[in-house]
Amino acid sequence: MAGKEEEQAKPLAMSSPSVGADEESATRWRSIRYLRKRRYALWCCGCCGAAVVVLGITVLILSLTVFKVKDPTLTMNSLTVDGVNFDVGPFDDLVQLNATLVADISIKNPNVASFRFDNSTTDFYYEGETVGVAYAPAGKVSAHRTVRMNVTVDVLTNRVVRQMNITADTLTFGTQLNLTSFTDINGRVNVLGVYKRDIEVTMNCSMTLEVSATHQAIQSTDCSANVK
């Protein structure tokens, strides 16, 4: 009996205070780690958002300034007569006139990327009738460069000789023929594969061809270009 009373008199075992402290410390550490991760995630999201905004503004500014596709310039620098042949008709004294003209054309590219263009044509007209067609090969104009091309055309007046009404006597004193031309060039500007634009450059010219038995020359050339 005495032994049982002594055993009952012993106090019950208490939990160690260090165990509760460790659990509280672990909980607090997990909370701190969670807050740190959350702050880091928010900081990363903020940085990414700011980078996207800055990148968007930069792209917008570049697209409106440096990378903006500008219109190429087409210019007729000169038009000269390389040679003229006369042929008197067999049944009347009307003269068929064949002239070889050389057009010096330049294309200026103001863009930061090259301008590539396809085969082009220059048509010459007299009184609305086609009297000659010149062909130019495809090519490329590098960024901020100008390319010049010499285009040669034979102006054949056989189909409009009666409208021209040139006789052998007319050639003695000379005559003036009012011609017009139309040049059409199609191409594309491609900036970094992002900014692309198909461009059509056209040019209309009017000129006066002075012809006599001893003198041939182009006078009063007037041109205007348009970009589509």
Side-chain angles (χ1 to χ4, degrees):
M1 294 293 294
K4 291 181 179 181
E5 291 178 358
E6 290 179 358
E7 291 179 0
Q8 292 178 358
K10 290 182 180 181
L12 297 174
M14 302 289 293
S15 60
S16 175
S18 61
V19 175
D22 291 341
E23 291 180 356
E24 183 179 357
S25 177
T27 302
R28 185 181 302 171
W29 174 246
R30 285 194 296 269
S31 178
I32 293 174
R33 289 184 61 187
Y34 171 76
L35 291 176
R36 286 181 178 177
K37 289 182 178 180
R38 184 177 180 183
R39 289 174 183 174
Y40 181 74
L42 292 175
W43 182 80
C44 289
C45 291
C47 290
C48 292
V52 170
V53 172
V54 171
L55 180 61
I57 294 175
T58 302
V59 171
L60 178 61
I61 293 175
L62 291 176
S63 64
L64 295 176
T65 54
V66 179
F67 292 155
K68 183 180 180 180
V69 178
K70 303 174 184 178
D71 294 339
T73 303
L74 183 61
T75 305
M76 176 80 75
N77 300 306
S78 64
L79 185 63
T80 58
V81 180
D82 191 43
V84 175
N85 295 321
F86 307 102
D87 186 15
V88 180
F91 304 108
D92 50 36
D93 61 349
L94 292 180
V95 174
Q96 296 180 354
L97 181 149
N98 299 329
T100 301
L101 306 181
V102 179
D104 180 10
I105 300 174
S106 65
I107 305 175
K108 181 180 180 181
N109 178 23
N111 295 287
V112 297
S114 60
F115 171 61
R116 298 180 181 272
F117 56 90
D118 302 327
N119 297 332
S120 61
T121 59
T122 299
D123 299 276
F124 287 81
Y125 304 92
Y126 177 79
E127 298 293 337
E129 293 285 343
T130 302
V131 293
V133 180
Y135 300 93
K140 180 184 74 172
V141 186
S142 301
H144 302 295
R145 293 291 186 272
T146 301
V147 169
R148 300 183 69 166
M149 301 182 296
N150 285 329
V151 179
T152 302
V153 58
D154 290 327
V155 177
L156 307 176
T157 62
N158 297 342
R159 289 193 298 173
V160 294
V161 64
R162 294 198 175 277
Q163 290 95 317
M164 299 176 71
N165 196 30
I166 300 176
T167 64
D169 292 336
T170 303
L171 291 178
T172 303
F173 301 98
T175 186
Q176 292 184 342
L177 305 177
N178 296 320
L179 303 177
T180 58
S181 68
F182 176 74
T183 303
D184 187 13
I185 298 178
N186 291 277
R188 164 176 282 199
V189 175
N190 188 340
V191 182
L192 301 177
V194 178
Y195 306 99
K196 302 177 182 179
R197 180 184 168 191
D198 293 326
I199 298 176
E200 181 182 8
V201 186
T202 60
M203 181 170 60
N204 291 281
C205 295
S206 59
M207 65 212 70
T208 301
L209 175 60
E210 293 185 351
V211 180
S212 69
T214 59
H215 176 74
Q216 302 88 35
I218 293 290
Q219 301 291 338
S220 307
T221 302
D222 184 22
C223 297
S224 62
N226 185 36
V227 179
K228 300 178 182 179

